Amino acid sequence: MKGPAIGHWPVVLGLLSLATAAGFLLDRDVGQTSLAMLYVLAVVVAAYKLPWVPSAATAFGAVTAFIFFFVPPGWTFETPTATASTSIPGS
């Protein structure tokens, strides 16, 4: 079996870079849901134009980039989590 062509990976990086750059430009003007849609658009374009492995890599990269750059506190993979006492009813 042949792996994905080398030519597909610059497209993946380009799509993710474009979505991230657009996110930085729009970050102060739109909410997180709208920013996430930029990454969804990148994944849809990849799924339509690229084979499945680069498309899946685009999806994984989109989620990773969105969490890292735009989910508070930002520039980290830490996300706010509920404590056990607030997430279990009756605790």
Side-chain angles (χ1 to χ4, degrees):
M1 252 208 253
K2 227 170 134 183
I6 291 291
H8 295 307
W9 298 108
V11 175
V12 170
L13 290 175
L15 287 169
L16 293 174
S17 297
L18 237 127
T20 302
F24 281 124
L25 289 174
L26 297 172
D27 190 24
R28 292 194 173 137
D29 300 322
V30 299
Q32 279 189 327
T33 305
S34 297
L35 292 176
M37 292 302 114
L38 294 170
Y39 287 104
V40 170
L41 178 61
V43 171
V44 168
V45 169
Y48 186 71
K49 292 288 187 183
L50 300 175
W52 77 271
V53 172
S55 298
T58 304
F60 179 79
V63 170
T64 303
F66 178 72
I67 290 172
F68 186 79
F69 293 116
F70 299 109
V71 173
W75 295 88
T76 181
F77 288 110
E78 282 187 32
T79 56
T81 58
T83 61
S85 63
T86 60
S87 61
I88 300 172
S91 295

Coordinates of all heavy atoms in Angstrom, one line a residue:
M1 N 0.8 -1.2 0.0 CA 0.0 0.0 0.0 C 0.9 1.2 0.0 O 1.9 1.3 0.7 CB -0.9 0.0 1.2 CG -2.3 -0.3 0.9 SD -3.3 0.5 2.1 CE -3.9 -0.8 3.1
K2 N 0.4 2.2 -0.7 CA 1.2 3.5 -0.8 C 0.6 4.5 0.2 O -0.6 4.6 0.4 CB 1.0 4.0 -2.2 CG 2.2 4.5 -2.9 CD 1.9 4.7 -4.3 CE 2.5 6.1 -4.7 NZ 2.2 6.4 -6.0
G3 N 1.5 5.2 0.9 CA 1.1 6.2 1.8 C 0.7 7.5 1.1 O 0.8 7.6 -0.2
P4 N 0.2 8.5 1.8 CA -0.1 9.7 1.2 C 1.1 10.4 0.5 O 2.2 10.3 1.0 CB -0.7 10.6 2.3 CG -0.3 9.9 3.6 CD 0.0 8.5 3.2
A5 N 0.8 11.1 -0.5 CA 1.9 11.8 -1.2 C 2.4 12.9 -0.4 O 1.7 13.5 0.4 CB 1.4 12.3 -2.6
I6 N 3.7 13.2 -0.5 CA 4.3 14.3 0.2 C 3.6 15.6 -0.1 O 3.5 16.5 0.7 CB 5.8 14.4 -0.2 CG1 6.6 13.2 0.4 CG2 6.4 15.7 0.3 CD1 6.7 13.2 1.9
G7 N 3.1 15.7 -1.3 CA 2.4 17.0 -1.7 C 1.2 17.3 -0.9 O 0.7 18.5 -1.0
H8 N 0.6 16.4 -0.2 CA -0.6 16.7 0.6 C -0.3 17.4 1.9 O -1.2 18.1 2.4 CB -1.4 15.4 0.8 CG -1.9 14.7 -0.4 ND1 -2.7 15.3 -1.3 CD2 -1.8 13.4 -0.8 CE1 -3.0 14.5 -2.3 NE2 -2.4 13.3 -2.0
W9 N 0.8 17.1 2.4 CA 1.1 17.7 3.8 C 1.3 19.2 3.8 O 0.8 19.8 4.8 CB 2.3 17.0 4.4 CG 2.0 15.5 4.6 CD1 2.5 14.5 3.8 CD2 1.0 14.9 5.4 NE1 1.9 13.3 4.2 CE2 1.0 13.5 5.2 CE3 0.2 15.5 6.4 CZ2 0.2 12.7 5.9 CZ3 -0.7 14.6 7.1 CH2 -0.7 13.2 6.9
P10 N 1.9 19.8 2.8 CA 1.8 21.3 2.8 C 0.4 21.9 2.7 O 0.1 22.9 3.3 CB 2.7 21.7 1.5 CG 3.5 20.5 1.3 CD 2.7 19.3 1.7
V11 N -0.5 21.1 2.0 CA -1.9 21.6 2.0 C -2.5 21.5 3.4 O -3.2 22.4 3.8 CB -2.7 20.7 1.0 CG1 -4.1 21.1 1.0 CG2 -2.1 20.9 -0.4
V12 N -2.2 20.4 4.1 CA -2.7 20.3 5.5 C -2.2 21.4 6.3 O -3.0 22.1 7.0 CB -2.3 18.9 6.1 CG1 -2.6 18.9 7.6 CG2 -3.0 17.8 5.3
L13 N -0.9 21.7 6.3 CA -0.3 22.8 7.1 C -0.9 24.1 6.6 O -1.1 25.0 7.5 CB 1.2 22.8 7.0 CG 1.9 21.6 7.7 CD1 3.4 21.6 7.4 CD2 1.6 21.6 9.2
G14 N -1.1 24.3 5.4 CA -1.7 25.6 4.9 C -3.1 25.8 5.3 O -3.4 26.9 5.7
L15 N -3.9 24.8 5.3 CA -5.3 24.9 5.8 C -5.3 25.2 7.3 O -6.1 26.1 7.7 CB -6.1 23.6 5.5 CG -6.4 23.3 4.0 CD1 -6.9 21.9 3.9 CD2 -7.5 24.3 3.6
L16 N -4.5 24.5 8.0 CA -4.5 24.8 9.5 C -3.9 26.2 9.8 O -4.4 26.9 10.7 CB -3.7 23.7 10.2 CG -4.4 22.3 10.2 CD1 -3.4 21.3 10.8 CD2 -5.7 22.3 10.9
S17 N -2.9 26.6 9.0 CA -2.3 27.9 9.2 C -3.3 29.0 8.9 O -3.4 30.0 9.6 CB -1.0 28.0 8.4 OG -0.1 27.1 8.8
L18 N -4.0 28.8 7.8 CA -5.0 29.8 7.4 C -6.1 29.9 8.4 O -6.5 31.1 8.7 CB -5.6 29.4 6.0 CG -5.5 30.4 4.9 CD1 -4.8 29.7 3.7 CD2 -6.8 30.9 4.6
A19 N -6.6 28.8 8.9 CA -7.7 28.8 9.9 C -7.2 29.5 11.2 O -7.9 30.3 11.8 CB -8.2 27.4 10.2
T20 N -6.0 29.2 11.6 CA -5.4 29.8 12.8 C -5.2 31.3 12.6 O -5.5 32.1 13.5 CB -4.1 29.1 13.2 OG1 -4.4 27.7 13.4 CG2 -3.5 29.7 14.5
A21 N -4.6 31.7 11.5 CA -4.4 33.2 11.2 C -5.8 33.9 11.2 O -5.9 35.0 11.8 CB -3.7 33.3 9.9
A22 N -6.8 33.3 10.5 CA -8.1 34.0 10.5 C -8.7 34.0 11.9 O -9.3 35.0 12.3 CB -9.0 33.2 9.6
G23 N -8.4 33.0 12.7 CA -8.9 33.0 14.1 C -8.3 34.1 14.9 O -8.9 34.8 15.7
F24 N -7.0 34.4 14.7 CA -6.3 35.5 15.4 C -6.9 36.8 15.0 O -7.0 37.7 15.8 CB -4.8 35.4 15.3 CG -4.1 34.4 16.1 CD1 -3.3 33.4 15.6 CD2 -4.3 34.4 17.5 CE1 -2.7 32.5 16.4 CE2 -3.6 33.5 18.3 CZ -2.8 32.5 17.7
L25 N -7.2 36.9 13.7 CA -7.7 38.2 13.2 C -9.1 38.5 13.8 O -9.5 39.6 14.0 CB -7.8 38.2 11.7 CG -6.4 38.3 11.0 CD1 -6.6 38.1 9.5 CD2 -5.7 39.6 11.3
L26 N -9.9 37.4 14.0 CA -11.3 37.6 14.4 C -11.5 37.3 15.9 O -12.7 37.5 16.3 CB -12.2 36.6 13.6 CG -12.2 36.8 12.1 CD1 -12.9 35.7 11.4 CD2 -12.9 38.2 11.7
D27 N -10.5 37.0 16.6 CA -10.6 36.5 18.0 C -11.4 37.5 18.9 O -12.2 37.2 19.7 CB -9.3 36.3 18.6 CG -9.3 35.6 19.9 OD1 -10.4 34.9 20.2 OD2 -8.4 35.7 20.7
R28 N -11.1 38.8 18.7 CA -11.8 39.8 19.5 C -13.2 40.2 19.1 O -14.0 40.8 19.9 CB -10.9 41.1 19.6 CG -9.6 40.9 20.3 CD -9.0 42.1 20.6 NE -7.8 41.8 21.4 CZ -6.6 42.4 21.3 NH1 -6.4 43.3 20.3 NH2 -5.6 42.1 22.1
D29 N -13.6 39.8 17.9 CA -14.8 40.2 17.3 C -15.9 39.1 17.3 O -17.1 39.4 17.2 CB -14.7 40.7 15.9 CG -13.7 41.9 15.8 OD1 -13.8 42.7 16.7 OD2 -12.9 42.0 14.8
V30 N -15.5 37.8 17.4 CA -16.5 36.7 17.4 C -16.2 35.8 18.5 O -15.2 35.8 19.2 CB -16.3 36.0 16.0 CG1 -16.6 36.9 14.8 CG2 -15.0 35.3 15.9
G31 N -17.2 34.9 18.8 CA -17.1 34.0 19.9 C -16.3 32.7 19.5 O -16.0 32.5 18.3
Q32 N -16.2 31.9 20.5 CA -15.4 30.6 20.2 C -16.1 29.7 19.2 O -15.4 29.0 18.5 CB -15.2 29.9 21.6 CG -14.1 30.4 22.4 CD -13.8 29.5 23.5 OE1 -14.7 28.9 24.1 NE2 -12.5 29.4 23.9
T33 N -17.4 29.7 19.2 CA -18.1 28.9 18.3 C -17.8 29.3 16.8 O -17.6 28.4 16.0 CB -19.6 28.9 18.5 OG1 -19.9 28.6 19.9 CG2 -20.4 28.0 17.6
S34 N -17.8 30.5 16.6 CA -17.4 31.0 15.2 C -16.0 30.7 14.9 O -15.7 30.4 13.7 CB -17.7 32.5 15.1 OG -19.1 32.8 15.3
L35 N -15.1 30.8 15.9 CA -13.7 30.5 15.6 C -13.6 29.0 15.3 O -12.8 28.6 14.4 CB -12.8 30.8 16.8 CG -12.7 32.3 17.1 CD1 -11.9 32.5 18.4 CD2 -12.0 33.0 16.0
A36 N -14.3 28.1 16.0 CA -14.3 26.7 15.7 C -14.8 26.4 14.3 O -14.3 25.5 13.7 CB -15.2 26.0 16.7
M37 N -15.7 27.2 13.8 CA -16.2 27.0 12.4 C -15.1 27.2 11.4 O -15.2 26.6 10.3 CB -17.4 27.9 12.1 CG -18.7 27.5 12.9 SD -19.2 25.9 12.7 CE -18.9 25.2 14.3
L38 N -14.2 28.0 11.7 CA -13.0 28.2 10.7 C -12.3 26.9 10.6 O -11.9 26.5 9.5 CB -12.1 29.3 11.3 CG -12.6 30.7 11.3 CD1 -11.7 31.6 12.0 CD2 -12.9 31.2 9.9
Y39 N -12.1 26.2 11.7 CA -11.4 24.9 11.7 C -12.3 23.9 11.0 O -11.8 23.0 10.3 CB -11.0 24.5 13.1 CG -9.8 25.3 13.6 CD1 -10.0 26.3 14.5 CD2 -8.5 25.1 13.1 CE1 -8.9 27.0 15.0 CE2 -7.4 25.8 13.5 CZ -7.6 26.8 14.5 OH -6.6 27.5 14.9
V40 N -13.5 23.9 11.2 CA -14.5 23.0 10.6 C -14.4 23.2 9.1 O -14.3 22.2 8.3 CB -15.9 23.1 11.1 CG1 -16.9 22.3 10.2 CG2 -16.0 22.7 12.5
L41 N -14.3 24.4 8.6 CA -14.2 24.7 7.2 C -12.9 24.1 6.6 O -12.9 23.5 5.6 CB -14.2 26.2 6.9 CG -14.1 26.6 5.5 CD1 -15.2 26.1 4.6 CD2 -14.0 28.2 5.4
A42 N -11.8 24.2 7.4 CA -10.5 23.6 6.9 C -10.6 22.1 6.8 O -10.1 21.5 5.9 CB -9.4 24.0 7.9
V43 N -11.3 21.5 7.8 CA -11.5 20.0 7.7 C -12.4 19.6 6.6 O -12.1 18.6 5.9 CB -12.0 19.5 9.1 CG1 -12.4 18.1 9.0 CG2 -11.0 19.8 10.2
V44 N -13.4 20.4 6.3 CA -14.3 20.0 5.2 C -13.6 20.1 3.9 O -13.7 19.3 3.0 CB -15.6 20.9 5.2 CG1 -16.4 20.8 3.9 CG2 -16.4 20.6 6.4
V45 N -12.8 21.2 3.7 CA -12.0 21.3 2.5 C -11.0 20.2 2.3 O -10.9 19.6 1.3 CB -11.3 22.7 2.5 CG1 -10.3 22.8 1.3 CG2 -12.3 23.8 2.3
A46 N -10.4 19.8 3.4 CA -9.4 18.7 3.4 C -10.1 17.4 3.1 O -9.6 16.6 2.3 CB -8.7 18.6 4.7
A47 N -11.3 17.2 3.7 CA -12.0 15.9 3.4 C -12.5 15.8 2.0 O -12.5 14.7 1.4 CB -13.2 15.8 4.4
Y48 N -12.8 17.0 1.4 CA -13.3 17.0 0.0 C -12.1 16.8 -1.0 O -12.3 16.1 -2.0 CB -14.0 18.3 -0.2 CG -14.7 18.3 -1.6 CD1 -15.8 17.6 -1.9 CD2 -14.2 19.2 -2.6 CE1 -16.4 17.6 -3.1 CE2 -14.8 19.2 -3.8 CZ -15.9 18.4 -4.1 OH -16.5 18.5 -5.3
K49 N -11.0 17.4 -0.7 CA -9.9 17.4 -1.7 C -8.8 16.4 -1.5 O -8.0 16.1 -2.4 CB -9.3 18.8 -1.7 CG -10.2 19.9 -2.3 CD -10.3 19.7 -3.7 CE -11.1 20.9 -4.4 NZ -11.3 20.7 -5.8
L50 N -8.6 16.0 -0.2 CA -7.4 15.1 0.1 C -7.8 13.7 0.4 O -9.0 13.4 0.8 CB -6.7 15.7 1.3 CG -6.2 17.2 1.1 CD1 -5.6 17.7 2.5 CD2 -5.1 17.3 0.0
P51 N -6.9 12.8 0.4 CA -7.1 11.4 0.8 C -7.4 11.4 2.3 O -7.3 12.4 3.0 CB -5.8 10.7 0.5 CG -5.1 11.5 -0.5 CD -5.5 12.9 -0.2
W52 N -7.8 10.2 2.8 CA -8.4 10.1 4.2 C -7.3 10.4 5.2 O -7.6 11.0 6.3 CB -9.1 8.8 4.4 CG -8.2 7.6 4.6 CD1 -7.8 6.8 3.6 CD2 -7.8 7.1 5.8 NE1 -7.0 5.8 4.2 CE2 -7.0 6.0 5.6 CE3 -7.9 7.6 7.1 CZ2 -6.4 5.3 6.5 CZ3 -7.2 6.8 8.1 CH2 -6.5 5.7 7.8
V53 N -6.0 10.0 5.0 CA -5.0 10.2 6.1 C -4.7 11.6 6.3 O -4.7 12.1 7.4 CB -3.8 9.3 5.8 CG1 -2.6 9.7 6.7 CG2 -4.1 7.8 5.8
P54 N -4.4 12.4 5.2 CA -4.2 13.9 5.4 C -5.5 14.6 6.0 O -5.4 15.5 6.7 CB -3.8 14.4 4.1 CG -3.4 13.2 3.3 CD -4.1 12.0 3.8
S55 N -6.7 14.1 5.6 CA -7.9 14.7 6.1 C -8.1 14.4 7.6 O -8.4 15.3 8.3 CB -9.1 14.1 5.3 OG -9.1 14.4 4.0
A56 N -7.7 13.2 8.0 CA -7.8 12.9 9.4 C -6.8 13.7 10.2 O -7.0 14.1 11.3 CB -7.6 11.4 9.6
A57 N -5.6 13.8 9.6 CA -4.6 14.7 10.3 C -5.0 16.1 10.4 O -4.7 16.8 11.4 CB -3.2 14.6 9.5
T58 N -5.7 16.6 9.4 CA -6.3 18.0 9.4 C -7.3 18.1 10.6 O -7.3 19.1 11.3 CB -6.9 18.4 8.1 OG1 -5.9 18.2 7.1 CG2 -7.4 19.8 8.1
A59 N -8.1 17.1 10.7 CA -9.1 17.1 11.8 C -8.4 17.1 13.2 O -8.8 17.9 14.1 CB -10.1 15.9 11.7
F60 N -7.5 16.2 13.3 CA -6.7 16.2 14.6 C -6.0 17.5 14.9 O -6.0 18.0 16.0 CB -5.7 15.0 14.6 CG -4.9 14.9 15.8 CD1 -5.5 14.3 17.0 CD2 -3.6 15.3 15.9 CE1 -4.8 14.2 18.1 CE2 -2.9 15.2 17.1 CZ -3.5 14.6 18.2
G61 N -5.3 18.0 13.8 CA -4.6 19.3 14.0 C -5.5 20.4 14.3 O -5.2 21.3 15.0
A62 N -6.7 20.4 13.7 CA -7.7 21.5 13.9 C -8.1 21.5 15.4 O -8.2 22.6 16.0 CB -8.9 21.3 13.0
V63 N -8.5 20.4 15.9 CA -8.9 20.3 17.3 C -7.8 20.7 18.2 O -7.9 21.5 19.2 CB -9.4 18.9 17.7 CG1 -9.6 18.7 19.2 CG2 -10.6 18.5 16.9
T64 N -6.6 20.2 17.9 CA -5.4 20.6 18.8 C -5.1 22.1 18.7 O -4.9 22.7 19.8 CB -4.2 19.7 18.3 OG1 -4.5 18.4 18.3 CG2 -3.0 20.0 19.1
A65 N -5.1 22.6 17.5 CA -4.8 24.1 17.4 C -5.9 24.9 18.1 O -5.6 25.9 18.7 CB -4.7 24.4 15.9
F66 N -7.1 24.5 17.9 CA -8.2 25.3 18.5 C -8.1 25.3 20.0 O -8.2 26.4 20.7 CB -9.6 24.8 18.1 CG -10.7 25.5 18.7 CD1 -11.0 26.8 18.3 CD2 -11.5 24.9 19.7 CE1 -12.1 27.5 18.9 CE2 -12.5 25.6 20.3 CZ -12.8 26.9 19.9
I67 N -7.8 24.2 20.6 CA -7.7 24.1 22.1 C -6.5 24.9 22.5 O -6.6 25.6 23.5 CB -7.6 22.6 22.5 CG1 -9.0 21.9 22.4 CG2 -7.2 22.5 24.0 CD1 -9.0 20.5 22.6
F68 N -5.4 24.7 21.8 CA -4.1 25.4 22.3 C -4.2 26.9 22.2 O -3.8 27.6 23.1 CB -3.0 24.9 21.4 CG -1.6 25.4 21.9 CD1 -1.0 24.8 23.0 CD2 -1.0 26.5 21.3 CE1 0.2 25.3 23.5 CE2 0.2 26.9 21.7 CZ 0.8 26.4 22.8
F69 N -4.8 27.4 21.1 CA -4.7 28.9 20.8 C -6.0 29.6 21.4 O -5.8 30.8 21.7 CB -4.6 29.2 19.3 CG -3.3 28.8 18.8 CD1 -3.2 27.8 17.8 CD2 -2.1 29.3 19.2 CE1 -2.0 27.4 17.3 CE2 -0.9 29.0 18.7 CZ -0.8 28.0 17.7
F70 N -7.1 29.0 21.4 CA -8.3 29.8 21.6 C -9.2 29.4 22.8 O -10.1 30.1 23.2 CB -9.2 29.7 20.3 CG -8.5 30.3 19.2 CD1 -8.1 29.5 18.1 CD2 -8.2 31.7 19.1 CE1 -7.4 30.1 17.0 CE2 -7.6 32.2 18.0 CZ -7.1 31.4 17.0
V71 N -8.9 28.2 23.4 CA -9.7 27.9 24.6 C -9.0 28.4 25.9 O -7.8 28.2 26.0 CB -9.8 26.3 24.7 CG1 -10.5 25.9 26.1 CG2 -10.7 25.8 23.6
P72 N -9.7 29.2 26.7 CA -9.0 29.8 27.9 C -8.4 28.7 28.8 O -9.0 27.7 28.9 CB -10.1 30.5 28.6 CG -11.2 30.8 27.5 CD -11.0 29.6 26.6
P73 N -7.3 28.9 29.3 CA -6.5 30.1 29.5 C -5.7 30.5 28.3 O -5.0 31.5 28.2 CB -5.6 29.9 30.7 CG -5.5 28.4 30.7 CD -6.7 27.8 30.1
G74 N -5.6 29.7 27.2 CA -4.9 30.1 26.0 C -3.4 29.7 26.1 O -2.8 29.7 27.2
W75 N -2.9 29.3 24.9 CA -1.5 28.9 24.8 C -1.0 27.8 25.7 O 0.1 27.7 26.2 CB -0.5 30.2 24.9 CG -0.8 31.1 23.8 CD1 -1.7 32.2 23.9 CD2 -0.2 31.2 22.6 NE1 -1.7 32.8 22.7 CE2 -0.7 32.3 21.9 CE3 0.8 30.5 21.9 CZ2 -0.4 32.6 20.6 CZ3 1.2 30.8 20.7 CH2 0.6 31.9 20.0
T76 N -2.0 26.9 26.0 CA -1.7 25.8 26.8 C -2.8 24.7 26.5 O -3.8 25.1 25.9 CB -1.8 26.1 28.3 OG1 -1.5 24.9 29.0 CG2 -3.1 26.7 28.7
F77 N -2.5 23.5 26.8 CA -3.5 22.4 26.6 C -4.4 22.2 27.8 O -5.3 21.4 27.8 CB -2.9 21.1 26.2 CG -2.3 21.2 24.8 CD1 -1.0 21.2 24.6 CD2 -3.2 21.3 23.7 CE1 -0.4 21.3 23.3 CE2 -2.7 21.3 22.4 CZ -1.3 21.4 22.2
E78 N -4.2 23.0 28.9 CA -5.0 22.9 30.1 C -6.4 23.5 29.8 O -6.5 24.6 29.2 CB -4.4 23.7 31.2 CG -3.3 22.9 31.9 CD -2.8 23.6 33.2 OE1 -3.7 24.3 33.8 OE2 -1.7 23.5 33.4
T79 N -7.4 22.8 30.2 CA -8.8 23.4 30.1 C -9.4 23.4 31.4 O -9.1 22.5 32.2 CB -9.6 22.6 29.1 OG1 -9.7 21.2 29.5 CG2 -9.1 22.7 27.7
P80 N -10.4 24.3 31.7 CA -11.0 24.3 33.0 C -11.9 23.0 33.1 O -12.5 22.6 32.2 CB -12.0 25.5 32.9 CG -11.6 26.3 31.7 CD -10.8 25.4 30.8
T81 N -11.8 22.3 34.2 CA -12.5 21.1 34.4 C -13.4 21.3 35.7 O -13.0 22.0 36.6 CB -11.6 19.9 34.6 OG1 -10.7 20.1 35.7 CG2 -10.8 19.6 33.3
A82 N -14.5 20.6 35.7 CA -15.3 20.6 36.9 C -14.7 19.7 38.0 O -14.1 18.6 37.6 CB -16.7 20.1 36.6
T83 N -14.8 20.1 39.2 CA -14.3 19.2 40.3 C -15.3 18.1 40.5 O -16.5 18.2 40.1 CB -14.0 20.0 41.6 OG1 -15.3 20.6 42.0 CG2 -13.0 21.1 41.3
A84 N -14.9 17.1 41.2 CA -15.9 16.0 41.5 C -17.1 16.4 42.3 O -18.2 15.9 42.1 CB -15.1 14.9 42.3
S85 N -16.9 17.4 43.2 CA -18.0 17.8 44.0 C -19.0 18.6 43.2 O -20.2 18.7 43.6 CB -17.5 18.7 45.2 OG -16.9 19.8 44.7
T86 N -18.6 19.2 42.1 CA -19.6 20.0 41.3 C -20.2 19.2 40.2 O -21.2 19.6 39.6 CB -19.0 21.3 40.8 OG1 -17.8 20.9 39.9 CG2 -18.5 22.2 41.9
S87 N -19.6 18.1 39.8 CA -20.0 17.3 38.7 C -20.9 16.1 39.0 O -21.6 15.6 38.2 CB -18.9 16.9 37.8 OG -18.0 16.0 38.6
I88 N -20.9 15.7 40.3 CA -21.7 14.6 40.7 C -22.9 15.1 41.5 O -22.8 15.7 42.6 CB -20.9 13.6 41.6 CG1 -19.7 13.1 40.8 CG2 -21.8 12.5 42.1 CD1 -18.7 12.3 41.6
P89 N -24.1 14.9 41.0 CA -25.3 15.3 41.8 C -25.4 14.7 43.2 O -25.1 13.5 43.3 CB -26.5 14.9 40.9 CG -25.9 14.5 39.6 CD -24.5 14.2 39.8
G90 N -25.7 15.4 44.1 CA -25.9 14.9 45.5 C -24.6 14.9 46.3 O -24.6 14.4 47.4
S91 N -23.5 15.4 45.7 CA -22.2 15.4 46.5 C -22.2 16.6 47.4 O -22.6 17.7 47.0 CB -21.1 15.4 45.5 OG -21.0 14.3 44.8

